[in-house]
Structures are given as structure tokens and as C-alpha cells.
Amino acid sequence: MKKAKFIVFEGIDGSGKSTISNMLFEKINTHTGNIYKTFEPTDSPVGAVIKNILNKRIISDDKTIGALFLADRLDHIQNPISGMLNYLNKGMHVISDRYYYSSYAYHVPMLSMDWVINANKVCADLLRPDIVFYFDISADESMRRLSSSRIFLDLFETKEKMAQVILNYKEAIKREGKKDNVVIIDGEKTVNEIFDEVWEITSKLLEI
Ligand code: ADP
Ligand code: TYD
């Protein structure tokens, strides 16, 4: 049996992760049927706490948030029922919308990049991606896409934050990208162009 592969999608909000990862799931599903799709933050109890912090129902602090995302990720990897290793060990390919590069990008500079990378080594040791697709779009393009689909946006604050997140992604990819086979995709091309690129790489990886 061929080894099952772990495929990750990364990028800022609105970069096209859900759109392309759903298309990829459908295409692999029609070819092999052997595919599981998942996301972070997860819908586990830890993920539920994270969502309540993100939508400001629970007040927290940056270090606690960083640690909660790490706990959510460890459960996402190792949970004996829903964990990704479980699926991979059964021979199913796994697609995840976000993984530890999201932590590198979203928790810096509140936490140092060194801290976040070191803390996530426990995850990298358990499960490294076979490939990470990073969708590169500008903060302006993200704002354009999100403002048409999400109503409550503080445009200025969010754009500033997105620009920092983009810088962090690029720095993290420079530092860690080779180890995780990160491929940078121009996320401002059309959906069809992007999907063709992603499919060309993935079909070779999965040998289908
Ligand atoms: P993410 O999951 O990264 O937040 P989505 O896939 O939800 O991003 O896309 C955000 C919005 O942008 C959606 O309305 C989607 O239809 C649109 N979109 C996605 N990819 C593209 C693209 N390549 N060009 C233009 N619009 C896109
Ligand atoms: P997500 O559910 O992908 O957001 P949306 O569906 O609204 O695009 O992720 C929620 C937020 O969590 C997103 O802004 C990125 C952030 N995040 C972190 O801050 N750290 C992490 O480790 C991860 C996985 C996500």
C-alpha cells in the first residue's frame, strides 16, 4: 500500500484555502475515495474555547491563546478517534485547512517566532506535512474579498493585522519552509488557474 499523504493549506483569511481545498477534496474523492478533510481551529472542546475567544465571548491573553491552539493541534493529530494520525495510519490521505504555519503567522509578535516554532516542534515530530500550499495574496485583496462576504470588519485594524500576518508567513516559510515542502502559490490568479497548479503537484504526490 502507498503511504497516505498529509496536505496542508495555509494563507491569510480570504486567500482561497476553503475554495481550493474543497475542490481538491472532491477531485481526490472521485479518483480514490480515500481522503479525509479537516481544519484548525478544530471543532473539539478546545477548538470551541478558541472560537469563543476569537468572537470575544471569552476574554483571554496572547500566551494562553497560543497555548490553546497548540493543545487543539495536538488533539487534532493524536486523538484516538478523530485524530489525523488515525486516518493516515488507515491509509487515508488527509487535507487540513491550516496547521502550524498559522500559529507562526498569527501569534507573532505577541509571542516570539522562536517560541512558537519551538513549541510546535512536538507537532512537527509527530506529523510533518508532505506538502503545504501557501496562498500568497495581498492585504488589500484579502480586504476586498472579505468585505463582500463578511459584514462586521474594522477595515483599518484588520488590514494592518493582515499585513503583519503576511510578513510572518513569509519569515516562517524562509526559516522552516524546506522542511515542510512549502509551495508558494500566487493566490491572486483565477480559481481555475490556481486549482490546475495545485492539482498538477498533488496528483504527482499521490501518484494518481
Ligand atoms: P479562506 O478559506 O482562505 O478564508 P475562501 O476560500 O473562503 O478563503 O475565499 C474567500 C472569498 O474569496 C470567497 O468569497 C471566495 O469565493 C473568494 N475567492 C477565493 N479564491 C479566489 C480567487 N482566486 N479569486 C477571486 N476570489 C476568490
Ligand atoms: P479560520 O476558522 O480559518 O477562520 P475563517 O474561517 O474565519 O477564515 O481560523 C480562525 C482564525 O484563527 C483565523 O483568523 C486564524 C486564526 N488562527 C490562529 O490565530 N492560530 C492558529 O494556530 C490557527 C490554526 C488559526
Side-chain angles (χ1 to χ4, degrees):
M1 193 168 70
K2 281 183 238 159
K3 185 182 159 285
K5 303 292 190 213
F6 177 38
I7 302 164
V8 172
F9 285 87
E10 288 283 1
I12 60 172
D13 307 73
S15 60
K17 299 181 299 299
S18 318
T19 304
I20 302 292
S21 62
N22 286 336
M23 289 169 77
L24 188 65
F25 172 84
E26 292 303 332
K27 185 126 180 179
I28 297 174
N29 202 27
T30 57
H31 276 269
T32 74
N34 235 2
I35 177 87
Y36 172 71
K37 184 166 182 295
T38 178
F39 50 85
E40 294 185 3
T42 70
D43 49 15
S44 74
V46 180
V49 173
I50 290 173
K51 274 171 203 153
N52 276 311
I53 293 171
L54 292 179
N55 62 31
K56 300 191 167 61
R57 284 201 196 101
I58 298 177
I59 297 170
S60 190
D61 65 277
D62 294 325
K63 290 194 176 68
T64 305
I65 294 170
L68 281 170
F69 272 106
L70 178 59
D72 187 43
R73 182 161 303 124
L74 282 167
D75 182 65
H76 192 205
I77 297 169
Q78 306 185 103
N79 187 289
I81 297 158
S82 59
M84 295 189 286
L85 283 177
N86 212 20
Y87 288 93
L88 289 160
N89 290 337
K90 281 190 223 155
M92 292 180 80
H93 303 299
V94 172
I95 296 176
S96 183
D97 195 331
R98 299 191 182 281
Y99 195 48
Y100 44 64
Y101 281 82
S102 286
S103 286
Y104 304 162
Y106 284 84
H107 305 303
V108 176
M110 294 76 79
L111 301 172
S112 75
M113 180 80 74
D114 283 337
W115 190 92
V116 186
I117 290 176
N118 283 331
N120 274 280
K121 280 226 165 82
V122 58
C123 301
D125 288 345
L126 285 165
L127 178 59
R128 262 194 199 281
D130 291 288
I131 192 152
V132 178
F133 291 108
Y134 169 68
F135 292 144
D136 190 18
I137 70 165
S138 66
D140 280 329
E141 177 62 14
S142 161
M143 291 299 103
R144 267 192 294 276
R145 291 184 190 175
L146 296 183
S147 56
S148 55
S149 58
R150 290 175 213 185
I151 306 156
F152 303 108
L153 265 186
D154 179 340
L155 282 182
F156 180 70
E157 191 186 309
T158 312
K159 189 177 151 187
E160 295 276 289
K161 209 175 136 192
M162 289 295 178
Q164 177 68 56
V165 172
I166 292 170
L167 285 180
N168 294 341
Y169 262 124
K170 295 198 167 157
E171 171 68 20
I173 290 169
K174 215 185 278 170
R175 285 180 58 163
E176 297 291 300
K178 280 212 177 75
K179 295 182 205 161
D180 294 306
N181 199 13
V182 177
V183 175
I184 300 175
I185 303 274
D186 178 353
E188 298 195 12
K189 290 185 178 169
T190 66
V191 169
N192 285 340
E193 284 171 326
I194 294 169
F195 185 70
D196 286 348
E197 262 182 67
V198 167
W199 178 245
E200 200 186 326
I201 296 168
T202 307
S203 57
K204 277 191 197 127
L205 181 72
L206 306 189
E207 299 172 52
I208 49 181

